[in-house]
Amino acid sequence: MTTTRNRPQLGTSTLYFFALPATILFVVFIAYPIIWVLDQSLYAKAGDALSFAGFANYSTILSDPTFWIVVRNMVLWGAITIPVQMVIGGMLAYFIERHTHRLRSFFRTAFFLPVVTSVSVVSLVWVQIYAPYYGIAQEYLKYTGIVMVTSPIGDPITAIYALIVVNIWQWTGFSMLMYIAGIANLPSEVLDAARVDGAKGWRLAINVIVPMLAPSTKSLLLLGIIGTLQTFPIVHLMTGGGPNRASEVFGTYIFKQSFVLGDTGSGAALSVIVLLAALVLSLLQIVALGARLTPTSKER
């Protein structure tokens, strides 16, 4: 004969106690900084003091031509890096998981290594690669008869694209890892059935595997857009947003306004704009990609 013990019911106050640490961390590190930045965005520098300016900082920023250069650069950055990283990362993942055996761990490590490499090291290496006359890029271009007089990151026309190439090189390994995890979780029954129906090679990959990797693709799309808005280190270290603002991004623009020019009001207003952009884009993706914001009646 078995006996059952009634589990003690936790009171509401006890449940609140367990939630208290997470609540404190949220308030201190997320809620308070957001409120502080919102407050600072409403003040303008007047001499050595701050004076209430309302939404003047926002109107000044929106009328600044540099802001729209930054917006253009951000659109280019996201529109190029996100799909290219996903395509190359997906191809690498498929090749490694389906066509390598003994060297699988080596290829995984080799292609993921740039992701965990220090940004400062990546910047130094790519500055030398882009160096005119003696850089590695010039060594390859000399076979086409092209001689670089200036570095691609020193040309206002090519600077943003040169940085995009570096970003793709560094972060494609992350997309590869996400797709490797997705491929590892694919049901073997579906793949076997597709092979029986005659799907093989690239036909199997495009018509069967790619649609089944939709969750990984959606996650990479969401992370890619948020990562684009957070871009700062690689641009700051390689070009500083130059030449002539040609490679300016939100991160470097906020840094210059807040810490170089000392205009904390404009810097805070820019931060609020980026926060709102990230929030709107994230919500649009969640809705467009079919994610539910609230649980269904069955899940309740």
Side-chain angles (χ1 to χ4, degrees), residues 6 22 26 34 36 53 57 61 85 101 103 187 212 227 234 242 288 291 295:
N6 293 326
F26 174 80
I34 290 176
W36 185 85
N57 289 323
I61 289 171
Q85 286 174 6
H101 299 285
L103 297 177
M212 294 175 67
I234 200 73

Side-chain angles (χ1 to χ4, degrees), residues 30-280:
I30 298 178
Y32 173 73
I34 290 176
I35 295 173
W36 185 85
V37 170
L38 285 169
D39 178 69
Q40 289 294 307
S41 69
L42 301 177
Y43 288 84
K45 189 174 181 180
D48 295 331
L50 293 176
S51 61
F52 184 78
F55 293 99
N57 289 323
Y58 293 93
S59 62
T60 301
I61 289 171
L62 294 176
S63 61
D64 185 0
T66 302
F67 174 78
W68 298 106
I69 294 175
V70 173
V71 172
R72 183 207 64 181
N73 290 340
M74 289 285 87
V75 172
L76 284 174
W77 194 284
I80 297 175
T81 59
I82 296 173
V84 171
Q85 286 174 6
M86 288 195 296
V87 170
I88 299 177
M91 293 173 65
L92 289 174
Y94 181 78
F95 171 79
I96 291 171
E97 293 303 299
R98 297 297 174 182
H99 299 287
T100 63
H101 299 285
R102 294 181 180 179
L103 297 177
R104 182 173 296 172
S105 298
F106 169 77
F107 283 117
R108 287 177 178 176
T109 304
F111 287 112
F112 188 72
L113 190 60
V115 178
V116 296
T117 303
S118 171
V119 179
S120 58
V121 174
V122 172
S123 301
L124 289 172
V125 169
W126 276 91
V127 166
Q128 294 302 312
I129 290 175
Y130 283 146
Y133 301 111
Y134 66 88
I136 296 177
Q138 178 60 79
E139 289 297 317
Y140 286 101
L141 289 174
K142 71 180 182 182
Y143 295 105
T144 63
I146 299 175
V147 178
M148 294 193 304
V149 180
T150 60
S151 171
I153 59 175
D155 189 326
I157 298 176
T158 61
I160 188 64
Y161 300 102
L163 292 173
I164 286 173
V165 170
V166 178
N167 188 76
I168 291 172
W169 177 85
Q170 184 179 14
W171 289 101
T172 294
F174 180 78
S175 298
M176 177 201 70
L177 192 67
M178 291 283 287
Y179 280 123
I180 285 176
I183 291 173
N185 292 321
L186 293 179
S188 58
E189 298 84 1
V190 177
L191 298 178
D192 292 338
R195 292 189 182 96
V196 171
D197 291 337
K200 58 180 65 176
W202 286 108
R203 187 176 178 184
L204 175 67
I206 295 174
N207 295 330
V208 180
I209 295 179
V210 170
M212 294 175 67
L213 290 176
S216 299
T217 302
K218 292 176 182 179
S219 298
L220 286 171
L221 182 60
L222 180 62
L223 294 173
I225 291 180
I226 295 175
T228 296
L229 294 174
Q230 293 178 333
T231 300
F232 172 73
I234 200 73
V235 179
H236 178 67
L237 292 173
M238 292 188 68
T239 66
N244 195 26
R245 306 278 192 171
S247 62
E248 200 82 81
V249 293
F250 278 128
T252 55
Y253 193 25
I254 293 171
F255 177 81
K256 289 176 181 178
Q257 291 294 120
S258 301
F259 301 107
V260 177
L261 300 178
D263 190 355
T264 55
S266 295
L270 276 167
S271 300
V272 173
I273 292 173
V274 175
L275 176 63
L276 292 175
L279 179 62
V280 171

